[in-house]
Amino acid sequence: MTRRALLVVDVQPTFCEGGELAVTGGNQVADDVAAYLRAHRDRYAAVITTQDWHIDPGPHFADSPDFVDSWPPHGVAGSPNAELHPSLADISFDDGVRKGQYDHGYSGFEGVNDDGRPLEEILRELTIDAVDVVGLAESHCVKRTALDAVRLGWPTRVLTDLTIPVTPEQGVAARTELRDAGVELVRSTAPPRHRTC
């Protein structure tokens, strides 16, 4: 039996319509992730969130951002838009990590939980065998999190209907990079191949 974890990456108002760094379709992704979890929580041994939680990320923030290496302020620690999206309010999670306090923090594996434990340690203590990744945005933090997961040895899937890229072109590039790294791209409607314990 496969012990699979779901990583819910940066489903925060800051990345949704009305937020500081909005991705078109972000609110719909938040709603769809919440609906998927209500229906299929039993597929996962653990569900873990990540959040951008910037305190002083240096050149990651810029007054004149290039939208490649620098961005407008977003995910500001302690702000309402850095909290988890309201669509997730009734969902219970097994843990959560916050990332990017003092750097860009694209990957969830750069984050730590409230006890200071990094995501890799959390997953290994939970004896997770495989990882699914959803959230915002496919072309950035979802991609980086999935690439790190597969690099660290976990069979990794991105559920393509539960994420969205910043732009369609960046999405195509991200999916190519993910496939080349061995990440499986599947829809959430695909039946699980193995029973999860």
Side-chain angles (χ1 to χ4, degrees):
M1 289 184 292
T2 300
R3 286 181 58 80
R4 185 178 296 275
L6 181 68
L7 305 183
V8 179
V9 174
D10 297 3
V11 180
Q12 302 165 262
T14 197
F15 297 120
C16 298
E17 291 87 347
E20 298 88 348
L21 195 55
V23 179
T24 301
N27 282 318
Q28 187 63 57
V29 167
D31 290 346
D32 291 347
V33 167
Y36 174 74
L37 273 169
R38 290 186 198 104
H40 301 297
R41 179 61 185 262
D42 60 345
R43 292 184 179 181
Y44 297 99
V47 180
I48 298 171
T49 61
T50 79
Q51 289 167 265
D52 255 17
W53 199 255
H54 296 305
I55 296 172
D56 182 8
H60 186 64
F61 282 0
D63 292 332
S64 300
D66 61 17
F67 294 92
V68 176
D69 298 309
S70 60
W71 308 88
H74 61 275
V76 174
S79 69
N81 279 354
E83 299 297 335
L84 293 175
H85 194 281
S87 292
L88 303 177
D90 65 338
I91 306 290
S92 63
F93 298 101
D94 296 286
D95 212 331
V97 299
R98 292 173 170 171
K99 58 191 178 64
Q101 285 91 333
Y102 300 101
D103 58 18
H104 56 74
Y106 289 113
S107 171
F109 287 90
E110 298 172 50
V112 296
N113 69 2
D114 288 342
D115 298 325
R117 294 165 57 227
L119 180 56
E120 180 183 4
E121 180 181 320
I122 294 165
L123 293 174
R124 298 210 187 278
E125 286 187 0
L126 291 168
T127 63
I128 295 301
D129 312 299
V131 168
D132 286 355
V133 187
V134 301
L136 300 169
E138 180 184 29
S139 49
H140 291 77
C141 296
V142 166
K143 179 187 79 172
R144 295 284 189 92
T145 300
L147 290 174
D148 277 351
V150 78
R151 177 181 59 80
L152 291 165
W154 280 288
T156 302
R157 308 186 307 185
V158 170
L159 306 186
T160 56
D161 55 324
L162 298 179
T163 185
I164 198 164
V166 172
T167 67
E169 297 77 15
Q170 289 176 320
V172 170
R175 288 187 288 276
T176 298
E177 189 175 350
L178 289 163
R179 285 191 194 97
D180 289 347
V183 175
E184 190 178 358
L185 304 180
V186 301
R187 291 184 62 81
S188 67
T189 50
R193 293 183 181 175
H194 306 284
R195 185 177 161 210
T196 300
C197 50

